[in-house]
């Protein structure tokens, strides 16, 4: 975070398995957050849980970030069912 904006997001550690499930979220979610400067992003179909995990991790990091001595306010509520995409496992 620099000047009240999200400049970069690095995934430095994870416990995900099966690259075909998590990699699409790892490639898409951070750039969506940075581009929109918001945690309200579309989850990636087939990578829903990884998508939500990234959003939650960014929310935790932002809540710990200090800007001018104040914590950045973050709304972390994410409705997983709202953005199901076009994948075969959508509801």
């Amino acid at each position: 975070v620099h000047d009240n904006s999200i400049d970069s997001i690095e995934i430095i550690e994870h416990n995900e398995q099966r690259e075909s499930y998590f990699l699409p979220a790892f490639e898409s979610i951070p750039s969506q957050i940075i581009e929109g400067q918001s945690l309200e992003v579309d989850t990636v179909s087939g990578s829903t849980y990884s998508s939500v995990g990234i959003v939650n991790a960014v929310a935790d990091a932002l809540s710990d970030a200090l800007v001018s001595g104040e914590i950045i306010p973050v709304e972390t509520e994410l409705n997983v069912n709202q953005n199901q995409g076009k994948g075969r496992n959508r509801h």
Side-chain angles (χ1 to χ4, degrees):
V1 176
H2 182 69
D3 291 334
N4 289 325
S5 67
I6 304 167
D7 287 343
S8 67
I9 298 170
E10 285 183 56
I11 299 172
I12 55 174
E13 183 179 342
H14 68 86
N15 295 319
E16 300 289 336
Q17 297 181 9
R18 301 206 55 197
E19 189 173 284
S20 62
Y21 290 119
F22 71 80
L23 193 57
F26 281 27
E27 292 173 345
S28 174
I29 299 299
S31 60
Q32 286 186 59
I33 292 171
I34 293 168
E35 185 176 307
Q37 292 296 301
S38 172
L39 297 178
E40 293 184 28
V41 297
D42 291 334
T43 58
V44 178
S45 181
S47 298
T48 304
Y49 292 114
S50 296
S51 299
V52 172
I54 294 167
V55 170
N56 288 337
V58 172
D60 286 344
L62 289 173
S63 69
D64 291 340
L66 295 177
V67 177
S68 301
E70 295 182 17
I71 294 178
I72 298 171
V74 175
E75 293 184 24
T76 60
E77 203 149 318
L78 180 65
N79 183 351
V80 174
N81 294 324
Q82 128 188 25
N83 299 311
Q84 288 297 316
K86 297 180 182 178
R88 65 184 170 128
N89 295 323
R90 69 185 170 116
H91 300 277

